[in-house]
Amino acid sequence: MLLPDIGMQTVFQFQMTMELHIFCRSCSKSICCTCTVLAHKPHDYADIKLEAQLQKQDLTQMSTALVEKEKEFAKICQDLLSLQDRSQHHKKELVEQIKASVKEALRKVEEKGEALLEELEGLYTVKEVEIKGRIVQTENVLRRIEASRGLVDNMITYAAWKEVMEMQDFVKSALRQLQSEQPLNMDSEETTVRFIQTTQEPSELLGSLVVSNCKRASAEQKEKKKTHSTEKKNGIHDGMRRTVPNELKLIFRPYCSNVSECVTGPYFSTNRGTHSC
Ligand SMILES: [Zn+2]
Ligand SMILES: [Zn+2]
């Protein structure tokens, strides 16, 4: 601080040689006796030892007040460390659950694939047997037509009048019979098997991750208990207060094939409840 005028400069130099027994509260500085009648005359000042004692008491009070704060922070720090522990542990569990779900889904997919191939084999075996039967029938008719026409050609070329008259009845009957044979209608024979690909998303096969707030869940649980029993109300409240706020919990919800009835299935992620699947 700049001292005013040449006179004050002299006072300052004088003060340097005097002992500073007094504390001026107005200026927050130690001063000598002389100053109390000069520059600091209208100010609020007191004995420096007394002032120091008061300051010590103030400091002690403030430091004591911090003990509670320290405990509070230590408790939260402990809770956070245990939250970190639980979080890491829970993450490991989720990883295992997802891996198990993937394994199970792959097993089911492979099982279903094998069942499809087996079903396809069965369908085509029946189809091929039927086609083979039709080919044999058709070839048989073709052979008979060929043989009959050969016979007619031979009769026309080589047979005598008498032979023609003897055979014509029988040959005509065979030709009429062949004429009445109907070829297979290929339109009605052609049945097809189609493969329809799934439109399901992988999440529907594996499950999904659901984030829920433990504090909110606890509060809801508390509300539930409150309606059933009022006796343990206080105990529950104390327990709730000790939890670290906003602890988020990830739940892995495996896919449930019984979607229409399952309240924990992927389509009902906001619902809660127990389910046996
Ligand atoms: Zn002085
Ligand atoms: Zn002063």
Side-chain angles (χ1 to χ4, degrees):
M1 185 207 272
L2 281 173
L3 291 165
D5 287 333
I6 192 85
M8 293 316 292
Q9 199 62 42
T10 316
V11 168
F12 176 72
Q13 282 161 0
F14 174 68
Q15 189 173 266
M16 295 296 282
T17 59
M18 298 287 287
E19 274 203 62
L20 309 173
H21 292 295
I22 296 160
F23 184 77
C24 177
R25 288 171 183 151
S26 308
C27 304
S28 285
K29 64 185 279 193
S30 306
I31 54 173
C32 69
C33 293
T34 314
C35 289
T36 60
V37 294
L38 292 173
H40 300 268
K41 192 177 180 183
H43 293 176
D44 175 22
Y45 46 82
D47 179 74
I48 199 159
K49 282 182 185 167
L50 186 71
E51 189 60 25
Q53 198 56 41
L54 287 173
Q55 291 299 332
K56 276 184 184 174
Q57 282 172 13
D58 267 8
L59 289 168
T60 308
Q61 267 180 11
M62 286 174 79
S63 174
T64 310
L66 270 181
V67 171
E68 283 307 307
K69 189 60 70 178
E70 189 182 20
K71 279 183 190 167
E72 212 178 311
F73 270 79
K75 173 74 185 77
I76 293 295
C77 192
Q78 199 57 44
D79 286 352
L80 284 170
L81 286 170
S82 92
L83 172 64
Q84 187 184 45
D85 239 32
R86 285 201 303 279
S87 178
Q88 284 168 355
H89 180 73
H90 192 63
K91 186 190 161 196
K92 271 185 196 166
E93 280 181 349
L94 289 172
V95 167
E96 290 309 312
Q97 282 181 39
I98 290 171
K99 281 182 180 173
S101 189
V102 169
K103 208 171 164 184
E104 181 61 11
L106 287 175
R107 190 190 66 76
K108 280 182 184 169
V109 167
E110 273 181 15
E111 199 178 273
K112 183 66 187 170
E114 277 166 21
L116 277 176
L117 291 174
E118 207 172 303
E119 192 186 349
L120 184 74
E121 194 63 40
L123 287 169
Y124 270 84
T125 302
V126 172
K127 197 177 156 87
E128 278 161 19
V129 166
E130 278 175 10
I131 292 172
K132 215 170 178 177
R134 301 281 192 274
I135 291 171
V136 170
Q137 274 181 13
T138 309
E139 283 177 344
N140 198 25
V141 174
L142 274 175
R143 269 198 300 276
R144 280 163 57 207
I145 289 175
E146 194 184 3
S148 300
R149 291 192 69 227
L151 179 66
V152 171
D153 282 351
N154 284 337
M155 272 174 70
I156 289 166
T157 315
Y158 306 112
W161 303 114
K162 198 183 171 189
E163 286 168 336
V164 170
M165 290 317 291
E166 278 172 4
M167 289 172 70
Q168 55 89 22
D169 226 19
F170 164 74
V171 175
K172 274 183 179 172
S173 154
L175 291 176
R176 278 190 207 99
Q177 200 189 338
L178 283 170
Q179 192 59 254
S180 70
E181 291 280 355
Q182 291 297 321
L184 293 167
N185 181 359
M186 287 307 287
D187 291 341
S188 68
E189 288 305 304
E190 192 135 2
T191 57
T192 55
V193 180
R194 285 189 306 136
F195 176 63
I196 300 163
Q197 278 193 308
T198 180
T199 52
Q200 281 193 346
E201 290 295 316
S203 64
E204 286 172 30
L205 202 63
L206 293 176
S208 54
L209 290 169
V210 181
V211 182
S212 66
N213 188 310
C214 284
K215 201 186 173 192
R216 204 183 307 143
S218 298
E220 281 166 4
Q221 200 183 357
K222 186 174 72 181
E223 193 60 37
K224 213 173 168 184
K225 279 190 180 176
K226 206 168 143 189
T227 55
H228 284 92
S229 151
T230 50
E231 287 171 10
K232 294 175 182 174
K233 200 171 69 180
N234 292 333
I236 294 163
H237 271 282
D238 290 342
M240 296 298 134
R241 284 200 190 103
R242 277 198 291 275
T243 54
V244 175
N246 296 323
E247 183 175 346
L248 291 175
K249 193 166 192 176
L250 270 169
I251 302 163
F252 177 65
R253 189 167 284 162
Y255 171 66
C256 171
S257 54
N258 193 10
V259 168
S260 58
E261 289 170 28
C262 176
V263 292
T264 65
Y267 298 113
F268 299 91
S269 59
T270 52
N271 289 349
R272 289 173 304 279
T274 54
H275 194 70
S276 58
C277 57

